[in-house]
Every structure is written in C-alpha cells, then in structure tokens.
Amino acid sequence: MIKCINLTKTYGKSDIPALNNLNIEVPKNSVFGFLGPNGAGKTTTVKILTGLMRQTSGEFFISGIKNTNNSVRLKSKIGYLGQENRMYTGMKAKSLLMFVGEIFGLSKTERDKKADELLDMSGLRKSANKKICEFSGGMVQRLGIAQALMGNPEVLFLDEPTSALDPIGRKEVLEFIHSLREKCTVFMSTHILNDVERICDSVAILNKGELVAYEKTDVLKSKYSDKLIEIILAKNEQLYKIEELFQCIKSAEVLKSEGNRVVLLPTDMKNAKVDLLNFITSSGIDIERFEVKSASLEDVFVKLIGEAKDE
C-alpha cells in the first residue's frame, strides 16, 4: 500500500539529512505507527508522502502509484490530518463535512450519505448540528479525521493525532482510528508510545532521520527486549540511594529512572534479583513494588534510541 525506497530529504546546504534512505513497506488495511523523538524526521516523511514537500532523492509508491511532481492521481488516494487541526469553528459538524464533500465533487446525495456515515463512525451523530466551537478537543480531532475521510482515501495520514488531548479524548480518538483498518490504511506519526502499542499492527522507529527499527509491534517487543525489573520507591527522596545502586550492581543496567520508578535491564536475571534485593535490604530502601515484567514498547523505544545515540 505504501512503499518507500531510499527516501531522503536534505534541507538547504546541510550535510546532515533530515531523512536518510528510508525503506519501509506498509501493508493494506493496517494501522502503522511511525515513531520517533522530536526532530527525528517524522513530519518531514509525512509531508513528502502527502505531496506537501519534495524529497531530495529516492521514491515512493502509494496504492501502486509512483510519486511524480504534483500527481493528482496519487493525491486522490490519500487523506491527511496535520498537527494543527484548522476548521471553520462557527460551522456545524455536518455542514463542515458537506462542504468538504462538495470540494471533492460529491453530489448532494453522496455527500449527505457519506457525512452521516462518518458522523456515526466517529461517534458524533448526536452532535451533527452542534457548532464546532462548542466541541471538546477529542470531538474536534474525531471530526478532523472524519473530514479527511470524506474523499474516500485508500491511505489516511495522521500527524500526532492525540498529542494535545486529555486521556478521555485520546481514548475516543484511538478507538476511532482502530476501527478504520476495515476502510483504509492508516499511517500514524506520533511520539506517544502507548498509543502505538494499543492500536498499531506494525511500527517503525526513526531517530535523527535514520530508521532504527521496523517490525510488527509484538515482534519488535519480543525481538529487542528481555524481561525487565521495575522498582517503585515508597519515597521519592530515596532516589539518591538508588543512584548508589546503579554504581554497585553489575548484573543489570538502568533503562529508565524517573520520579520514584526505576526500570532495569538485567544481564543476568538470577543474579540481578539477588543483588538488587540484597542491596535494597541492606540499604534500608523502602519500596512499594519489585516486579519482573515484560518490556513495553516504551522500554524498547528507550533502549533503541539510547543505543543509536551511543553509536
């Protein structure tokens, strides 16, 4: 459905490409997560694939159509929702969709039917005649996705679709996105790893323009990570003792330390458990939880990005 071959973008006279030889394939009717820290090249990639920017070199195909300058045929296959969701907020939800449908050249009957269908899919049918300025953030984002679907795209590009939403809004938007795999292919660029883990079939991780990993989500987690040890401190102020632990324990390396939570990657699980528990007991550290757990996608991300920085 989407195929990138050595896709590269360099800005101005810079010697460092913002995107360097990207090679990925996104299958039809899947939700694809495109991950990376800020400045990794995610938005650059989305802008190239949606025709908003030209690549420096390389090529890509969408629905078997090769990119060419201002290809109307290719653009007719895609829908796009950017980071800034701009709408006529004085309009009502259905009126906006009808307006967009008219731009796409749909007849009144066609756009009326399509608007009702998308309002149902997005959970906004009861708010069809409500002004957009009265919508919550999650409602606005769901309407934005519905707007991007009015042209019946085969591929939907979403750039950070949940980054500004509260937990309820995120849940609603993610459920909507997850339901779309039967309608189209979704390419979702984000830095929120929990979102990807919840709904994406496969994922690519980008860092400084370079592809770090590209796998099915569950395969990536099993391939790049082993069991981890998570320690939750009872008191944040005891973190200084944990810092001593980092220096003393040789059977595990620190993957993450934030607040009262420490995640370690054991090089030897059996010895790591013994060493850690002995240190905690002898140091008088008060803990709420000591748990051996499977790695999350966030843990994999931290590990891979950290390894990329060290190279």
Side-chain angles (χ1 to χ4, degrees):
M1 181 54 65
I2 304 173
K3 185 175 183 179
C4 300
I5 304 173
N6 297 326
L7 205 59
T8 300
K9 177 64 179 180
T10 303
Y11 291 102
K13 297 180 180 179
S14 174
D15 294 328
I16 303 175
L19 186 65
N20 189 27
N21 289 323
L22 178 65
N23 289 279
I24 56 173
E25 289 190 42
V26 181
K28 185 178 181 179
N29 294 114
S30 65
V31 180
F32 180 78
F34 198 52
L35 279 170
N38 292 333
K42 302 189 303 297
T43 296
T44 294
T45 303
V46 171
K47 285 184 175 180
I48 291 172
L49 296 178
T50 53
L52 298 175
M53 179 186 293
R54 293 178 61 182
Q55 70 270 30
T56 304
S57 61
E59 58 187 9
F60 65 90
F61 298 79
I62 294 178
S63 295
I65 303 172
K66 183 178 178 180
N67 69 293
T68 55
N69 294 340
N70 299 314
S71 172
V72 175
R73 184 168 171 240
L74 186 144
K75 289 181 179 179
S76 70
K77 301 289 184 180
I78 66 175
Y80 171 65
L81 182 66
Q83 291 187 38
E84 296 185 14
N85 193 344
R86 300 183 183 276
M87 296 182 185
Y88 297 115
T89 56
M91 294 182 74
K92 296 177 181 178
K94 183 168 181 179
S95 297
L96 175 70
L97 295 181
M98 293 289 284
F99 172 66
V100 173
E102 188 174 2
I103 292 174
F104 277 109
L106 302 179
S107 68
K108 186 177 185 305
T109 301
E110 288 173 329
R111 58 181 184 265
D112 185 65
K113 181 181 179 181
K114 187 66 177 178
D116 285 343
E117 176 189 336
L118 289 171
L119 288 168
D120 282 336
M121 287 177 58
S122 60
L124 295 172
R125 187 61 178 266
K126 293 182 179 179
S127 301
N129 294 313
K130 189 176 180 179
K131 287 188 176 181
I132 299 169
C133 59
E134 300 173 13
F135 279 20
S136 67
M139 292 171 71
V140 169
Q141 202 69 350
R142 280 182 282 148
L143 183 61
I145 295 172
Q147 176 184 251
L149 292 168
M150 275 300 290
N152 295 310
E154 294 182 15
V155 180
L156 176 64
F157 289 94
L158 302 174
D159 196 1
E160 302 284 359
T162 64
S163 60
L165 301 180
D166 61 28
I168 294 176
R170 279 180 60 207
K171 180 177 181 294
E172 293 170 342
V173 170
L174 289 173
E175 287 175 349
F176 183 25
I177 295 171
H178 187 261
S179 72
L180 296 177
R181 57 164 45 86
E182 298 177 359
K183 302 286 184 179
C184 62
T185 300
V186 180
F187 186 105
M188 185 173 79
S189 169
T190 183
H191 66 277
I192 304 176
L193 291 99
N194 288 339
D195 291 356
V196 173
E197 192 162 17
R198 285 170 65 179
I199 68 169
C200 292
D201 303 295
S202 55
V203 59
I205 298 178
L206 203 66
N207 187 46
K208 296 181 180 179
E210 300 279 352
L211 187 63
V212 177
Y214 169 48
E215 286 281 5
K216 288 184 177 180
T217 308
D218 55 350
V219 173
L220 183 68
K221 288 165 62 178
S222 62
K223 182 177 180 180
Y224 286 93
S225 61
D226 299 310
K227 292 287 186 180
L228 304 176
I229 294 176
E230 181 182 65
I231 301 172
I232 305 296
L233 302 175
K235 299 177 182 179
N236 285 2
E237 57 266 26
Q238 290 191 327
L239 188 60
Y240 76 94
K241 290 187 178 181
I242 291 292
E243 291 174 353
E244 293 178 14
L245 177 151
F246 297 163
Q247 299 173 4
C248 297
I249 303 300
K250 304 301 181 183
S251 53
E253 62 178 283
V254 178
L255 200 58
K256 184 187 304 181
S257 174
E258 55 183 13
N260 68 335
R261 176 174 178 259
V262 182
V263 180
L264 301 107
L265 177 64
T267 53
D268 182 327
M269 177 61 77
K270 183 178 179 179
N271 286 332
K273 288 191 288 186
V274 173
D275 293 343
L276 289 166
L277 289 171
N278 284 341
F279 184 91
I280 289 169
T281 302
S282 62
S283 301
I285 298 174
D286 187 8
I287 65 172
E288 289 188 353
R289 186 166 77 239
F290 182 102
E291 181 181 1
V292 176
K293 53 181 286 188
S294 298
S296 67
L297 184 59
E298 181 178 1
D299 297 321
V300 176
F301 179 85
V302 170
K303 180 182 178 182
L304 289 174
I305 295 301
E307 288 176 351
K309 287 180 179 178
D310 294 337
E311 291 177 354

